Amino acid sequence: MKIILLPGLDGTGYLFKDLMKELPSTLHVEVVSYSSISSLSYYGQAQEIASLYADEDVLIVGESYSGRVAYELCSLLGERVKGLVFLASFVSRPSIYSRLASIIPTSILKPNHLTRLLLYIVGFNMSGGIQLVSPVFHSLGHTDIKKLKERLRNIAYVDKPTKKITCPVTYIKPSKDLLIASRSVQYLASLCPNFTKIEVLGGHFIAQSNPVACAKAITNAANM
């Protein structure tokens, strides 16, 4: 079985570097980068990724933005999906403020004193040290801006899916996530008959600020 890591908004997969170090070498882990995906929609991205794993059993890990991609993959790959792990993620509108995602100026995604501080407060809940924000900006600097804007639009206009997820689902919830509302997590749970929520100390960028705890949860999900 392969473990497929789907990245957050940056889309590069670069931010999984520390998480990968903590996952056991016995696990077969692959990181998907959206730089190699031509489609700009959630479903289209899932279709392209599904074509890569159509003949393999997989555990899908969706970080933040990629939760809805993971959800669509579950439908497309059917019984091939042995489990889903959501890392501070969502399948429907993450918060009442998510509509604003489509109008975020790209300047706010460039590093300066103010944006570093904002990211540390909002993304990390001031946990783990401000040095954690540098890899995020580095990753964003290697992101296709057109694709990034479309991913922001996807977040702003994501609808509410209704199809149930039948495979086991693990939700890794940061102890203080300022970007994903509790009701969004509750709605996801309502779609999953086999749902486990694990609270991990940290902010929204939980795989970066607490890779050890996240790796443990993913490993447990893979061994279920």
Side-chain angles (χ1 to χ4, degrees):
M1 179 178 72
K2 284 186 178 178
I3 298 177
I4 312 302
L5 301 183
L6 304 178
L9 182 64
D10 67 291
T12 64
Y14 173 81
L15 294 175
F16 284 135
K17 182 179 179 182
D18 290 340
L19 178 64
M20 291 281 287
K21 290 178 182 177
E22 299 298 335
L23 290 169
S25 59
T26 52
L27 297 178
H28 189 173
V29 184
E30 291 187 4
V31 177
V32 171
S33 172
Y34 289 119
S35 62
S36 61
I37 304 297
S38 61
S39 179
L40 300 177
S41 70
Y42 272 131
Y43 188 71
Q45 289 161 358
Q47 283 182 308
E48 289 188 46
I49 297 168
S51 69
L52 302 175
Y53 301 103
D55 300 318
E56 300 182 80
D57 290 344
V58 295
L59 173 76
I60 302 171
V61 180
E63 180 183 36
S64 190
Y65 167 84
S66 287
R68 184 57 180 264
V69 179
Y71 173 87
E72 300 294 352
L73 275 170
C74 197
S75 294
L76 290 167
L77 293 176
E79 294 184 357
R80 288 290 189 186
V81 180
K82 300 306 178 183
L84 290 181
V85 177
F86 292 92
L87 284 168
S89 194
F90 54 92
V91 297
S92 58
R93 189 183 302 178
S95 76
I96 59 173
Y97 305 108
S98 56
R99 285 281 190 186
L100 301 176
S102 63
I103 60 173
I104 291 177
T106 55
S107 60
I108 202 172
L109 304 176
K110 296 179 181 179
N112 57 52
H113 180 73
L114 178 59
T115 57
R116 286 176 182 274
L117 181 60
L118 283 173
L119 179 60
Y120 189 45
I121 294 172
V122 177
F124 290 90
N125 193 40
M126 302 182 74
S127 173
I130 198 167
Q131 73 279 357
L132 291 173
V133 307
S134 293
V136 178
F137 283 112
H138 174 80
S139 184
L140 288 169
H142 289 78
T143 300
D144 183 302
I145 294 299
K146 179 183 176 182
K147 289 184 176 181
L148 179 63
K149 287 182 176 179
E150 287 301 318
R151 288 196 288 273
L152 286 167
R153 283 182 56 82
N154 288 345
I155 293 172
Y157 297 106
V158 63
D159 61 2
K160 252 185 175 180
T162 56
K163 187 173 182 179
K164 297 286 185 179
I165 302 174
T166 57
C167 68
V169 172
T170 300
Y171 191 94
I172 299 177
K173 184 184 184 303
S175 57
K176 190 67 173 180
D177 194 339
L178 299 179
L179 297 177
I180 311 295
S182 295
R183 63 178 171 277
S184 176
V185 181
Q186 291 167 0
Y187 185 75
L188 173 56
S190 73
L191 299 176
C192 309
N194 189 350
F195 184 86
T196 301
K197 183 172 69 175
I198 300 172
E199 185 166 306
V200 173
L201 184 65
H204 180 71
F205 283 81
I206 195 63
Q208 291 72 48
S209 61
N210 202 337
V212 174
C214 290
K216 181 180 178 181
I218 291 169
T219 301
N220 289 341
N223 292 330
M224 287 178 64

